Amino acid sequence: MQLLLREQELYKDLIMVLVGENMNEGKSFHYFAQIERMMKEGVIPEYAFVGKCDTDTFINLRGLVGELDKLPTEQQHFVGLDSFTLGADRRIMFGMLYIMSRPLLQRVAQLQLGVEELKLAEDLLMGALVVRLGEDVKWVSLQLFNFECFRHPLTRQDIATHWCKKPEDMWQNQMLLEQLYAPSS
């Protein structure tokens, strides 16, 4: 806890979601809605894209930024690993990492949802909400994920690595990426 307090003191970049820890009561929805409110109120800067990831996910930020830079920011994008479709109205992004463009975020934040509507596994809920918003939302699947730490050699195309359960997993991924992005000698 001391490290978190120090991080906030130094960088002021931590955001506490104003809901208790839960997986099936709208935590991700509340997070995205809160971020939109904070941007709208000027509490935090306005961003073109906002995402969430699991705590055991290592993100290749250079690779991710390269992918996001290809997307027009004025359009509605739901970016991540489009894992599967469960029917016409049931599509999800795999929860290790997904991102919304600001226009989509604004629409999601405007949804008025009751407590019962939020009682769904968070990735299923977010997918259902995005599907509800209509066909003008572009689902952008980043198929280049490494699902398990060190299952295969890390490449520049691996946007995120999941199942990094130990701090040294994160560190090792960072060192591998630094080697991949280092200028050739």
Side-chain angles (χ1 to χ4, degrees), residues 155-174:
T155 70
R156 285 184 177 201
Q157 289 74 39
D158 288 313
I159 301 301
T161 304
H162 200 212
W163 291 100
C164 295
K165 299 294 185 186
K166 302 175 288 199
E168 55 267 26
D169 292 341
M170 296 287 190
W171 178 253
Q172 188 171 356
N173 267 294
Q174 184 62 46

Side-chain angles (χ1 to χ4, degrees), residues 51-185:
K52 62 82 55 189
C53 71
D54 292 346
T55 57
D56 62 349
T57 299
F58 175 82
I59 301 172
N60 170 0
L61 290 175
R62 289 177 230 178
L64 178 59
V65 168
E67 293 297 318
L68 294 177
D69 278 347
K70 298 174 187 174
L71 303 176
T73 58
E74 69 280 356
Q75 294 178 355
Q76 297 178 72
H77 297 286
F78 194 35
V79 180
L81 178 64
D82 189 358
S83 56
F84 50 88
T85 301
L86 303 171
D89 63 339
R90 301 289 301 273
R91 188 173 175 189
I92 70 169
M93 288 287 189
F94 188 67
M96 66 187 271
L97 170 68
Y98 48 83
I99 299 162
M100 293 183 193
S101 63
R102 181 76 188 277
L104 177 59
L105 179 69
Q106 290 168 328
R107 290 187 65 206
V108 167
Q110 291 174 356
L111 294 171
Q112 302 295 314
L113 302 175
V115 173
E116 289 304 311
E117 289 179 278
L118 295 171
K119 291 191 182 228
L120 188 61
E122 63 182 323
D123 302 338
L124 291 172
L125 172 65
M126 295 310 298
L129 295 178
V130 171
V131 166
R132 183 192 299 183
L133 292 175
E135 293 181 15
D136 54 337
V137 176
K138 293 171 180 47
W139 289 63
V140 179
S141 187
L142 302 175
Q143 296 292 347
L144 307 170
F145 281 74
N146 184 356
F147 285 102
E148 190 171 338
C149 257
F150 316 115
R151 187 187 73 179
H152 68 76
L154 192 66
T155 70
R156 285 184 177 201
Q157 289 74 39
D158 288 313
I159 301 301
T161 304
H162 200 212
W163 291 100
C164 295
K165 299 294 185 186
K166 302 175 288 199
E168 55 267 26
D169 292 341
M170 296 287 190
W171 178 253
Q172 188 171 356
N173 267 294
Q174 184 62 46
M175 294 300 97
L176 290 169
L177 274 182
E178 291 303 320
Q179 291 173 1
L180 289 171
Y181 284 98
S184 300
S185 40

Side-chain angles (χ1 to χ4, degrees), residues 13 38 40 80 111 140:
D13 63 353
M38 292 174 77
K40 188 176 182 178
L111 294 171
V140 179

Side-chain angles (χ1 to χ4, degrees), residues 18-46:
L18 303 176
V19 295
E21 174 59 35
N22 69 79
M23 192 173 99
N24 301 322
E25 296 176 7
K27 175 179 64 177
S28 290
F29 169 76
H30 289 297
Y31 161 74
F32 282 111
Q34 180 178 324
I35 293 298
E36 175 54 32
R37 278 192 311 275
M38 292 174 77
M39 286 193 292
K40 188 176 182 178
E41 295 168 2
V43 175
I44 60 174
E46 294 191 15

